[in-house]
């Protein structure tokens, strides 16, 4: 890996940290790209190559992950939607269903008592939504 590629990865990590930290704020690709010191198109390509998903998909996965936690704690679907930064309940529900495999209402109604007995770090890894995609990081780890 060249020094330039390492520098780009550091910038991409900075943008990914921004997404993970500020997922509830209105974030768009130009804002994320500015954090990574790249143009929006170059940032989107580099982010996808490094992490296997687009910046927007990563943002939505983080939002859905947090919404899953809120729904398990008893929040309404509307409250969870607004708390994670989504402004459209319909878009939130369709994206939630796409990622989790069931509607937010069905997920909220389902029993989650087994998760209450687990340590928070285990719950986080067990309930994290996963997308099937390859990335350079996963390929390098194999």
């Amino acid at each position: 890996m060249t020094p330039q590629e390492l520098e780009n990865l550091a910038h991409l990590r900075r943008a990914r940290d921004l997404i993970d930290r500020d997922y509830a704020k209105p974030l768009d690709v130009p804002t994320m790209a500015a954090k990574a010191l790249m143009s929006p198109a170059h940032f989107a390509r580099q982010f996808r190559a490094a992490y296997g998903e687009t910046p927007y998909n990563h943002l939505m996965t983080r939002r859905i992950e947090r919404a899953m936690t809120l729904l398990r704690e008893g929040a309404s679907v509307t409250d969870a939607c607004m708390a994670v930064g989504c402004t459209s309940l319909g878009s939130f529900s369709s994206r939630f269903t796409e990622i989790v495999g069931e509607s937010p209402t069905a997920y909220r109604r389902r029993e989650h008592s087994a998760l209450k007995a687990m340590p928070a770090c285990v719950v986080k890894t067990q309930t994290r939504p996963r997308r099937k995609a390859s990335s350079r990081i996963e390929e390098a780890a194999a």
Side-chain angles (χ1 to χ4, degrees):
M1 193 172 262
T2 68
Q4 181 62 43
E5 290 172 329
L6 287 173
E7 187 176 331
N8 281 346
L9 272 177
H11 293 309
L12 291 171
R13 275 191 220 111
R14 203 174 301 141
R16 190 180 64 178
D17 290 345
L18 172 75
I19 296 170
D20 292 343
R21 185 180 56 247
D22 294 341
Y23 64 86
K25 295 179 182 174
L27 285 176
D28 55 9
V29 172
T31 302
M32 295 179 237
K35 191 71 172 179
L37 307 175
M38 297 177 188
S39 73
H42 184 66
F43 169 70
R45 285 190 302 273
Q46 292 295 310
F47 193 95
R48 186 181 183 116
Y51 300 113
E53 62 183 345
T54 65
Y56 182 74
N57 280 345
H58 183 77
L59 172 64
M60 287 307 297
T61 301
R62 287 296 151 260
R63 286 178 172 172
I64 297 302
E65 181 180 15
R66 180 64 185 142
M68 290 170 68
T69 301
L70 294 172
L71 292 171
R72 285 194 306 269
E73 293 171 352
S76 71
V77 173
T78 303
D79 289 344
C81 169
M82 297 302 163
V84 299
C86 294
T87 54
S88 166
L89 186 58
S91 297
F92 168 76
S93 294
S94 64
R95 185 56 72 110
F96 189 98
T97 303
E98 173 191 325
I99 293 173
V100 178
E102 62 185 321
S103 72
T105 303
Y107 184 82
R108 183 176 183 264
R109 286 187 188 145
R110 190 160 47 96
E111 181 61 40
H112 299 286
S113 61
L115 296 175
K116 292 178 183 171
M118 295 180 193
C121 60
V122 174
V123 171
K124 185 176 179 180
T125 59
Q126 293 297 315
T127 60
R128 176 166 280 176
R130 304 226 189 275
R131 294 175 185 265
K132 295 188 187 323
S134 66
S135 72
R136 287 185 181 169
I137 292 173
E138 291 172 354
E139 291 169 4

